[in-house]
Amino acid sequence: MGTYGDDGNSLVLRQRLMWRGYDAEIVRITLEDAVPDSCDVYTVGGGEDAAQKLASRHLSASPGLQRAVERGAPVLAICAGMQVFGEWFVVSDGSRAPGLGLLDVTTSPQATRSIGELVVAPQVDGLTQPLTGFENHMGATVLGPDAAPLGRVTSGVGNGVPAGQSVPAGGLGEGVVQGSIIATYMHGPVLARNPELADLLLCRALGVDSLPPVEVPAVERLRRERIAAARR
């Protein structure tokens, strides 16, 4: 799935590897392809209900991703990808569609759609800078005891609240971290906006503690602009 440009996340990972002298290949998976279990890092994007259900069925029938998660391969899941990785998600006709069960989360509708800039204070070791992205979703994702939030919302909605429920006393969480999976509602693509997150995934894929720094002034200008826009 990549309706909202989320396939750009793989391009960012490849480029940041190439800047550091690594060879990198993007393996694109369609509904006609078996899902390999041998990739070093996986990215899954967002999509509409029909695409979600198709993706869930295909990933269930060809469980290479699940085997990769079992061995600890890093995975980034965006929006609908996060929902598909959960136990179940509710689609537009009100029915529940089964997920892959890789994340201890469930997703049901919010009262209103969340659209706009999103800023998050991360709660993951290795992430020190605010995360920024664009959210566009109707789902409210509730975390179970085995899942932890990626961070806390400082501007925007994030994981949201199911219709008829109140915002938790501790505020809104955003995203999910469980095992080797990092999931979020942030589009952007999120890795173009958040190079620290991109490098965290790459470090995990390469089995290293750190990578040589890469300075991209345009990215820093973009981050400042988007964070300021979200907080206005």
Side-chain angles (χ1 to χ4, degrees):
M1 296 182 290
T3 301
Y4 306 106
D6 298 316
D7 55 347
N9 288 315
S10 60
L11 297 174
V12 172
L13 291 174
R14 181 176 66 180
Q15 186 60 54
R16 295 187 72 81
L17 283 169
M18 293 175 66
W19 279 334
R20 283 137 167 162
Y22 291 93
D23 291 328
E25 177 188 2
I26 296 173
V27 179
R28 300 189 184 279
I29 306 301
T30 73
L31 294 176
E32 305 301 319
D33 303 312
V35 180
D37 59 10
S38 57
C39 293
D40 298 297
V41 58
Y42 292 77
T43 66
V44 180
E48 297 82 2
D49 286 356
Q52 274 184 274
K53 290 190 285 188
L54 287 170
S56 182
R57 291 171 193 157
H58 184 59
L59 291 168
S60 295
S62 181
L65 177 62
Q66 293 88 316
R67 292 194 296 269
V69 169
E70 287 178 3
R71 66 173 169 82
V75 179
L76 175 69
I78 307 297
C79 198
M82 175 168 67
Q83 297 176 10
V84 165
F85 281 15
E87 299 294 337
W88 50 260
F89 54 95
V90 175
V91 294
S92 56
D93 65 4
S95 63
R96 288 185 181 181
L100 301 180
L102 295 173
L103 294 174
D104 184 18
V105 304
T106 58
T107 302
S108 53
Q110 300 183 88
T112 58
R113 191 171 190 86
S114 299
I115 303 176
E117 293 292 330
L118 178 62
V119 180
V120 175
Q123 296 179 320
V124 174
D125 289 342
L127 296 179
T128 62
Q129 302 174 5
L131 297 167
T132 169
F134 189 87
E135 61 182 339
N136 183 359
H137 61 97
M138 190 67 188
T141 297
V142 177
L143 280 58
D146 291 333
L150 174 60
R152 288 291 164 190
V153 174
T154 60
S155 182
V157 176
N159 290 344
V161 179
Q165 297 186 22
S166 302
V167 175
L172 292 167
E174 204 290 318
V176 185
V177 177
Q178 186 173 338
S180 64
I181 301 173
I182 294 177
T184 176
Y185 274 113
M186 286 181 277
H187 302 286
V190 65
L191 297 186
R193 290 193 180 205
N194 301 282
E196 189 179 51
L197 176 58
D199 285 352
L200 176 65
L201 291 165
L202 292 177
C203 284
R204 291 181 177 182
L206 294 167
V208 299
D209 293 329
S210 63
L211 288 166
V214 174
E215 301 296 333
V216 186
V219 173
E220 293 308 313
R221 289 197 299 271
L222 172 65
R223 284 179 52 77
R224 289 194 297 269
E225 173 192 296
R226 292 296 86 204
I227 291 173
R231 291 173 174 168
R232 279 202 291 267

